[in-house]
Amino acid sequence: MNNTFTLMARTGRAFHLAQGAQLRITNIFGSQVVDTWAFRADDINEYMSMEHTRVHSTCPTPGKGTVFRSNMRRPLLKFTADSSPGVHDWFFAACDGARYEMLGFLGEHENCSDNLRRAMTKLGHPISHIPCPLNLFENAPLLKGDIGIYPPASRPGDFVELTAFVDLIVCLSACPQDMADTNGLDREPKNVQVSVVHY
Ligand SMILES: [Zn+2]
């Protein structure tokens, strides 16, 4: 079974990803960061945790081969393919209203934290905590002592694939950041394509 949809710029969506299923996220324009979360379908209190994943990883940043672990240290997802130059982030918090306020935005700005909350509520799983996301395609070279955020290194059509170890609810947010270079020098969030392949 193959299920493909377009995740519209600035929006989020949560969906089920069955054990063994493969999730492919294609960066149609190359410049879009995708915040990614995963929760166990049978208990959303167990979720993909970047801090627990980092403890057991041999790599300084996420990439092909990374096993993403839960807050119970159990494997939830594996990074199984990456056609991009491999620049992703697992340190930065999801954007939220306060982030845009600090950047000088007046009023309510779309943000990844609200996208996650809304998408999970829509599936019947309201959450009160925003785990640190896997920031696919985000170019934030923190480990090089650089606190800047740069445009993604990915190219149009680059994709990543994640494979589920267990039944999951995954949430993706096409980051609405348009006040920094997170989503390219034009600061214009764009659509991405999402495919789920069940074997
Ligand atoms: Zn964001």
Side-chain angles (χ1 to χ4, degrees):
M1 192 178 75
N2 193 344
N3 183 21
T4 299
F5 64 89
T6 299
L7 180 65
M8 303 302 286
R10 303 173 184 268
T11 70
R13 193 188 294 198
F15 50 91
H16 287 266
L17 187 71
Q19 181 179 8
Q22 223 170 51
L23 172 65
R24 179 186 281 220
I25 299 155
T26 303
N27 209 332
I28 303 169
F29 299 93
S31 56
Q32 180 62 45
V33 166
V34 181
D35 287 39
T36 303
W37 294 270
F39 302 81
R40 273 189 78 107
D42 59 359
D43 178 9
I44 65 156
N45 291 311
E46 186 173 353
Y47 56 84
M48 182 169 74
S49 166
M50 292 303 115
E51 48 270 49
H52 292 84
T53 296
R54 291 194 298 260
V55 171
H56 299 284
S57 176
T58 54
C59 297
T61 56
K64 190 179 169 190
T66 298
V67 171
F68 296 100
R69 291 176 182 272
S70 73
N71 52 327
M72 303 293 284
R73 301 183 191 260
R74 294 189 282 209
L76 296 188
L77 274 174
K78 185 170 183 179
F79 205 142
T80 41
D82 188 359
S83 78
S84 80
V87 178
H88 310 283
D89 169 75
W90 58 10
F91 291 107
F92 282 15
C95 65
D96 51 24
R99 169 82 169 127
Y100 293 101
E101 204 175 296
M102 290 172 78
L103 287 168
F105 190 82
L106 301 174
E108 279 191 29
H109 193 289
E110 309 99 323
N111 63 79
C112 291
S113 299
D114 282 348
N115 284 348
L116 172 65
R117 279 192 203 93
R118 285 198 199 102
M120 292 300 287
T121 300
K122 203 170 166 187
L123 276 193
H125 297 293
I127 55 168
S128 54
H129 166 64
I130 307 290
C132 179
L134 164 62
N135 295 307
L136 290 168
F137 307 111
E138 179 153 16
N139 186 2
L142 194 61
L143 290 182
K144 293 178 183 160
D146 183 340
I147 57 166
I149 298 177
Y150 300 92
S154 43
R155 301 149 301 199
D158 273 342
F159 64 87
V160 299
E161 278 178 5
L162 303 169
T163 302
F165 283 107
V166 295
D167 289 349
L168 296 171
I169 294 172
V170 168
C171 182
L172 304 176
S173 172
C175 182
Q177 178 58 268
D178 56 5
M179 300 181 76
D181 294 340
T182 312
N183 293 309
L185 291 173
D186 64 356
R187 300 190 171 189
E188 186 58 51
K190 296 186 173 68
N191 300 348
V192 294
Q193 190 185 61
V194 180
S195 298
V196 176
V197 181
H198 293 276
Y199 291 99

